[in-house]
Amino acid sequence: MKKIQMVDLKGQYNKIKSQVNNSINEVLESSAFINGPLVKDFQLNLEKYLGVKHVIPCANGTDALQIAMMGLGLKPGDEVITVDFTFASTVEVIALLGLKPVLIDVCPNLYTMNVDLIENAITPKTRAIVPVHLFGHCANMEVIMQIASKHNLFVIEDCAQSMGADYIYSDGRSVKSGAIGHVSATSFFPSKNLGCYGDGGAIFTNDDDLAHSLRGIVNHGMYKRYHHDVVGVNSRLDSIQAAVLNAKLPFLDSYNRARQIAATKYNEKLGGIESLKLPVKRCGVSNSNNEVFCHVFHQYTVRLIDNDRDSLVSYLNSKDIPCGVYYPIPLHRQKAYKIYDYNESDFPITNQISKEVFSLPMHTELDDDQIDYITKAVIEFLG
Ligand SMILES: *Cc1c(COP(=O)(O)O)cnc(C)c1O
C-alpha cells in the first residue's frame, strides 16, 4: 500500500506533470513573472467556470477576504457577523481592519453558520455577514441573502474550502459557491480543492463598480499608473502560480468527483457506528445537463461522540495514518480575540464539536486499499 498522506500533492502532480510543466515553462520563456498573460487567462477561465462577471486574482485567501472588506468600504467600528468555527483568517482580517468580529455559533450537522442566530446578532453598526463554506459544503445562502437584504447588509462568502461546490436553492436551481454573495474570497493554498504550488487567492463579484474598486486596491490603490486614489495593498497572484492554476482548473470537477467517491466509501465503511457522526451524505447529484456538486469534501470530518478524540488521533498516527483536527480551539477562546469579550454560553455547538471532530485523509489520490486500512483502524480503536 502507498504511504497514506493527508493530502497527496505529489501523486496528483505526477498525473498532470506535462500540462503543469508546459504552463510554467511558458512563463519562464516569456519572463512575464508579474501580471503576465496567464494571469489574465486564468481570470477569464475562472470567471467562465464559476459563472461570475469578475474574478480579481490576488496573493492569498486571507488577502482576498481583507480586500473584499476594503472594497465594500467597511470602516473601523463597523460590525461584521461571522462564525466561531472557522480558520482564523476570517476573523483576523476583520480585526486587522478595525472592524468588530461578531461571532455566532454553527449548525451541528453541516458546521456552517446557524442562520437562526443571525438576526439576534445584528445591531445598528452591523454592515456585513461572512458565511464560511466549511469543509466544502455551502452555508445556507438563500436565508443569509434574505436576511442581508432585509437589513441592508453585505454578504462576503468565504469560499476557501468550497471551490467547485454548487449551492442548491430550494427550487432546485444551482449556482457555484462564490457566485451568490455581493463579493466572495477564495484561497489557492496548495491543499485546497483548487490549489497552486505556493500562495494564491482571488476575489469574485458580479458588481462592476466593486470589481473596479477591488482591481485598484490589490495594486496600491492605483487606477491610473502612479495615481493612488485609495489606500491599497500589494497583493498579486504571480504568473507562475497562475500557470499552475490554469493547468489545474480543467481538472477541478474530476478532483471534486474523486473526493466525493472517497467520501462515499468512507461513509459506507463507517456507516452505522453509533459513536461516529459522519458528514452529510449528499454527495453527487446529477441534473439533466450537468453534474452538481453539493459537497466537495475539502475535509472529511467526523465527530467522535462520548469518547476520547485525541486518543483516536494518536492511535491512527501510530498506524501511520495522518489525521487532522479542524479546529481544536474555537476562535472566541483564542488569546488574540479575548478583547472582544465573547460569551462562553453563546457557542454551545462550537465548544462541543471542537472536542469531537477529526478529519481523515482526503485528497484526489486515495485508493481503496488505503480507505480499507484507515477505516479498519478507526473501527479497531472503537473496539
Ligand atoms: C485556507 C483558508 C483561508 C485563507 O487562505 P490563505 O490562502 O491560506 O490565506 C481563509 N478561510 C478559510 C476558511 C480557509 O480554509
Side-chain angles (χ1 to χ4, degrees), residues 59-65 86-90 132-135 158-161 185-189 191-192 199-201 298 327:
N60 58 67
T62 308
D63 276 8
L65 284 164
T86 174
F87 182 58
S89 288
T90 328
V132 180
H133 306 315
L134 202 71
F135 303 146
D158 183 339
C159 303
Q161 302 190 3
T186 200
S187 163
F188 304 121
F189 186 79
S191 64
K192 307 284 181 179
D199 276 306
H298 175 62
Y327 297 92

Side-chain angles (χ1 to χ4, degrees), residues 202-220:
I203 312 151
F204 324 138
T205 184
N206 286 314
D207 180 326
D208 298 341
D209 294 336
L210 179 59
H212 174 74
S213 165
L214 294 168
R215 288 211 169 88
I217 293 170
V218 297
N219 188 26
H220 306 288

Side-chain angles (χ1 to χ4, degrees), residues 139-153:
N140 187 343
M141 289 304 294
E142 200 161 354
V143 170
I144 292 169
M145 294 309 290
Q146 277 161 8
I147 295 173
S149 135
K150 181 171 155 201
H151 296 272
N152 205 15
L153 306 175

Side-chain angles (χ1 to χ4, degrees), residues 8 54 84 88 106 130 156 193 258 269 295 300 310 349 366 383:
D8 184 0
H54 305 282
D84 189 28
V106 294
V130 186
I156 305 162
N193 292 43
K269 302 261 179 198
H295 196 324
Y300 182 87
D310 294 338
I349 303 298
L366 272 178

Side-chain angles (χ1 to χ4, degrees), residues 337-350:
Y337 307 116
K338 277 267 187 300
I339 51 161
Y340 300 109
D341 251 343
Y342 296 112
N343 229 328
E344 224 20 74
S345 60
D346 285 341
F347 309 102
I349 303 298
T350 304

Side-chain angles (χ1 to χ4, degrees), residues 52-68:
V52 295
K53 268 176 97 176
H54 305 282
V55 165
I56 298 96
C58 67
N60 58 67
T62 308
D63 276 8
L65 284 164
Q66 177 183 328
I67 294 159

